[in-house]
Amino acid sequence: MTKIQEMLFQHQDLKYKEFHAKLMPTINPESIIGVRTPVIRTLAKDLFKNNFELVSNFFLELPHKYYEENNLHAFLIEQIKDFSECVLQTQKFLPFIDNWATCDSFKPKTFKKNLPQLLELSKTWIKSSHTYTCRFGMGCLMNYFLDDQFSHDYFDLILSIQNDDYYIKMMKAWYFATALAKQYDSALKILQSNRLDQWTHNKTIQKAIESYRISEEKKEVLRELKIRDLKR
């Protein structure tokens, strides 16, 4: 057992492991230690600050054995302040992400300070055939480009993704549901024009209706747009 694995096992919670494993059906339960995310984030900050030699060696140990090692790897990359180095480590790590939870919790701090470069990277990532590299790129477009940086062109980027993987389609629905909360009029036109497949269209509406950021009046409009013809 490596030193970092020993650190993670010191925080093992077996009940949490059992609960969390059910949320990730694509992951072998034996690869889950059972460590809560806040604990891993705290460990990442401490290691990055006080034991960078260990961190540097850990970066070279891909692929990792445990789910929590992947999360720790992601959270360590988040600590990197230099954008170029952060991107380098991100590019090395993305092919090894094998689940939605690691993918969606991975948000390097320096990204939001370098949006033009991040946009070009995101355009590349969403073209990847690797499910979680593509999903990560979509997540970047959702997290950083639906507010002041928004452009209608970004909708076309998401719509251009031709991948029927469940975790890609779910992220596409999440993206447009978030867009309905932040850019309602523009996102509504996507639904009205039937540019999404039926499953993603209806899942977008479902997630938007569940959101507290969208008014009841707007939710009523969305309910009327649900597609009920299963043959579509």
Side-chain angles (χ1 to χ4, degrees), residues 82-84 87 91 110-125 140-141 144-145 149 154:
D82 180 80
F83 180 72
S84 296
V87 169
Q91 298 277 43
T110 188
F111 276 12
K112 60 184 177 182
K113 298 179 181 179
N114 297 273
L115 293 180
Q117 300 96 314
L118 178 61
L119 177 60
E120 295 309 310
L121 287 165
S122 298
K123 290 178 180 179
T124 300
W125 289 331
C140 288
L141 290 172
Y144 302 105
F145 298 98
Q149 300 292 325
Y154 304 154

Side-chain angles (χ1 to χ4, degrees), residues 12 42 49-50 56 66 68 107 137 142 146 206 226:
Q12 185 179 46
T42 298
K49 181 179 179 180
N50 299 310
S56 297
Y66 294 104
E68 284 86 354
K107 300 175 183 177
M142 180 179 73
L146 279 177
Q206 176 190 327
K226 183 177 179 180

Side-chain angles (χ1 to χ4, degrees), residues 124-182:
T124 300
W125 289 331
I126 65 172
K127 295 177 183 178
S128 174
S129 60
H130 177 247
T131 293
Y132 297 104
T133 298
C134 178
R135 183 175 170 116
F136 182 76
M138 296 170 71
C140 288
L141 290 172
M142 180 179 73
N143 292 322
Y144 302 105
F145 298 98
L146 279 177
D147 294 300
D148 295 340
Q149 300 292 325
F150 173 70
S151 168
H152 292 86
D153 293 341
Y154 304 154
F155 283 176
D156 291 329
L157 290 176
I158 298 295
L159 290 167
S160 72
I161 299 170
Q162 301 297 316
N163 189 322
D164 288 332
D165 183 276
Y166 171 82
Y167 291 98
I168 297 296
K169 293 174 69 174
M170 182 62 82
M171 175 57 83
K172 188 178 290 188
W174 187 12
Y175 173 89
F176 281 109
T178 303
L180 284 164
K182 295 187 173 185

Side-chain angles (χ1 to χ4, degrees), residues 5-17 29-30 32-36 39 66 68:
Q5 288 172 353
E6 289 178 356
M7 292 178 180
L8 290 169
F9 270 96
Q10 287 175 2
H11 300 283
Q12 185 179 46
D13 182 333
L14 292 177
K15 288 186 177 180
Y16 180 72
K17 171 183 176 175
E30 294 303 313
I32 300 173
I33 299 172
V35 186
R36 296 178 183 273
V39 174
Y66 294 104
E68 284 86 354

